[in-house]
Amino acid sequence: MIQAPATPKAVRRQHDREIVSLALPAFGALVAEPLFLMVDSAIVGHLGTPQLAGLAIAGVLLSTAVSVFVFLAYATTAAVARRVGSGDLQAAIRQGMDGIWLALLLGAAVVAVTLPTAPWLVDVFGASDTATPYAVTYLRISILGIPAMLVVLAASGVLRGLQDTRTPLYVAVGGFAVNGALNLTLVYGAGLGIAGSAWGTVIAQCGMAAAYLVVVVRGARRHGASLRPDAVGIRASAQAGAPLLVRTLSLRTILMIATAVAARMGDAEVAAHQIILSLWSLMAFALDAIAIAGQAIIGRYLGANDADGARQVCRRMVQWGVLSGVVLGALLIVARPLFIPLFTGDTIVQDTLLPALLVVALSQPISGVVFVLDGVLMGAGDGPYLAWAMLLTLAVFAPVALLVPVLGGGLTALWWAMTLMMTVRMVTLWLRARSGRWIVTGATR
């Protein structure tokens, strides 16, 4: 009996199921990760203001180090997903192991550099004399967990490439719970203070890395994949990740420029900017979950030599991105009377915040398209284009943002500049997606 071809509606339903099944757990894992530092802040905050200030400075340095190496997750997801699509699970896991070994090497290098330079790094951030010793203590202990944190990034990329986003969710939730329990026990029970908070986080991160490695090693043994480091494979993983590193550094530079411009406007403006940036980042988690689904699904379709399927799911994910952006923007406007007082009771900050917040809300559909197409091109292994596109975006944004205070513009003008930045990203990504040049089928790009 000849099976009738699937209708467009049935195809959309299939794509929707794939996107939701991957995006929802990915969203949970993304939200769980920032909660680590929030728990640390809540517990350390009761020790005193200098301790909390020290944690804040060390936390920025640690989060920067991790975000710079997020390409370990992105590049690994794309490479593994292609192998999965081609039906070669042994090669997929072998590819993932190369990413994990690269993570260990990079983590060791970060530890070797940061341990002796910790006091200098803290001083660069302008820590006070009372906060400096706490920042150095927390940084020197927490940095020991960087190799584990990078392994978590790479291993989560392996599992996402294998179309598994549930395990990263379980590991993230488990790690969050262990981190909270250890922090309470070591900070107060053992009387270790801020050092106890750092050790609790390191132990939790090592536990998460161990959990991931157990899953990956079992998969490797089941499919006969080698666990030994392979110099050629590690070098290939580094080469695939290099353009994504450029992309990430360019994006971090954009965010740093925006914060520096806001700081020049005054205390109320920088306070309002920090609140908006926190909300913007929170909404980014929801949109990034769809991007993660895109990385995994697109890589699998291209690995299976299904170019038409890749185009169809790309179109469907863009629709998801636009719809998600509209919903998030509407929620931001409707719920603003509820959450703004939670951040600040200062009426000057609130008045500064509101018009800029409306700009952010209106721009969310643009953000939805940007995040989705970013994920699609990452899944396709189109890193070099993403790097050049982000450098172009930085070149457009920087002079516009720096002119805002010169021309007398306020925080709302700065966030219009941020909207311009996202629009440039959307145009460059849309042109690439429309061209079809990202569609390169096969087990490797």
Side-chain angles (χ1 to χ4, degrees):
M1 181 177 178
I2 299 176
Q3 187 175 4
T7 64
K9 190 173 182 179
V11 172
R12 285 197 300 272
R13 286 176 180 170
Q14 177 189 347
H15 291 157
D16 289 345
R17 284 194 296 269
E18 286 183 317
I19 294 168
V20 171
S21 66
L22 291 172
L24 281 180
F27 174 68
L30 288 169
V31 171
E33 291 172 9
L35 292 177
F36 269 77
L37 191 57
M38 289 180 63
V39 169
D40 288 5
S41 299
I43 294 173
V44 171
H46 291 284
L47 295 174
T49 300
Q51 290 90 333
L52 185 58
L55 172 64
I57 293 167
V60 169
L61 289 166
L62 288 166
S63 61
T64 299
V66 175
S67 64
V68 163
F69 295 113
V70 74
F71 70 85
L72 289 166
Y74 295 158
T76 305
T77 297
V80 171
R82 275 185 176 268
R83 298 285 191 178
V84 169
S86 70
D88 192 348
L89 289 178
Q90 182 186 69
I93 296 176
R94 175 64 260 179
Q95 189 96 44
M97 285 304 305
D98 292 334
I100 290 173
W101 280 112
L102 175 62
L104 284 170
L105 291 173
L106 290 173
V110 171
V111 171
V113 170
T114 307
L115 277 178
T117 60
W120 175 80
L121 290 170
V122 169
D123 186 60
V124 166
F125 272 74
S128 66
D129 292 340
T130 54
T132 292
Y134 296 111
V136 172
T137 296
Y138 190 92
L139 181 60
R140 277 184 165 160
I141 296 172
S142 293
I143 206 69
L144 299 176
I146 282 287
M149 294 171 74
L150 299 191
V151 166
V152 166
L153 285 177
S156 64
V158 175
L159 296 182
R160 289 169 184 171
L162 293 170
Q163 317 298 295
D164 175 10
T165 56
R166 291 183 181 274
T167 300
L169 171 61
Y170 299 149
V171 173
V173 171
F176 169 70
V178 170
N179 178 60
L182 285 172
N183 267 258
L184 285 171
T185 302
L186 297 176
V187 171
Y188 298 116
L192 296 180
I194 196 171
S197 176
W199 280 118
T201 301
V202 168
I203 294 169
Q205 289 161 351
C206 290
M208 291 172 66
Y212 273 118
L213 289 175
V214 167
V215 175
V216 174
V217 168
R218 283 178 178 173
R221 288 175 175 171
R222 184 163 56 249
H223 297 286
S226 173
L227 299 174
R228 294 180 179 178
D230 176 64
V232 175
I234 294 172
R235 191 180 307 115
S237 294
Q239 290 172 347
L244 296 180
L245 175 61
V246 173
R247 167 202 167 276
T248 301
L249 289 174
S250 300
L251 180 57
R252 295 291 299 186
T253 302
I254 287 171
L255 297 178
M256 289 174 64
I257 290 173
T259 300
V261 170
R264 292 174 61 185
M265 296 177 182
D267 290 346
E269 284 79 3
V270 74
H273 174 76
Q274 186 58 40
I275 293 170
I276 295 174
L277 195 59
S278 298
L279 293 167
W280 190 73
S281 300
L282 179 63
M283 291 184 292
F285 286 132
L287 299 174
D288 203 26
I290 304 174
I292 287 171
Q295 294 170 30
I297 296 171
I298 290 294
R300 194 186 77 234
Y301 272 95
L302 294 178
N305 295 309
D306 189 353
D308 289 337
R311 289 190 186 92
Q312 290 174 5
V313 78
C314 174
R315 284 195 293 269
R316 189 57 177 165
M317 280 189 289
V318 169
Q319 293 169 359
W320 270 81
V322 173
L323 178 61
S324 299
V326 170
V327 171
L328 288 171
L331 285 174
L332 197 62
I333 293 174
V334 172
R336 69 187 188 280
L338 300 176
F339 63 75
I340 288 179
L342 297 177
F343 285 98
T344 178
D346 190 322
T347 55
I348 297 177
V349 175
Q350 291 181 357
D351 291 341
T352 305
L353 173 71
L354 278 172
L357 195 64
L358 294 176
V359 174
V360 174
L362 292 173
S363 69
Q364 284 309 295
I366 297 173
S367 297
V369 175
V370 169
F371 275 85
V372 166
L373 291 181
D374 214 31
V376 166
L377 297 185
M378 284 183 189
D382 204 12
Y385 181 83
L386 290 172
W388 284 111
M390 190 58 80
L391 286 171
L392 172 63
T393 302
L394 173 59
V396 172
F397 171 78
V400 173
L402 293 173
L403 280 173
V404 167
V406 174
L407 299 177
L411 187 66
T412 303
L414 175 61
W415 275 94
W416 275 119
M418 289 287 285
T419 301
L420 171 65
M421 178 271 292
M422 294 300 287
T423 302
V424 173
R425 289 186 69 188
M426 183 181 69
V427 171
T428 57
L429 296 173
W430 178 77
L431 289 173
R432 186 63 168 183
R434 188 184 179 199
S435 72
R437 294 178 183 174
W438 56 277
I439 301 177
V440 178
T441 58
T444 57
R445 183 175 173 87

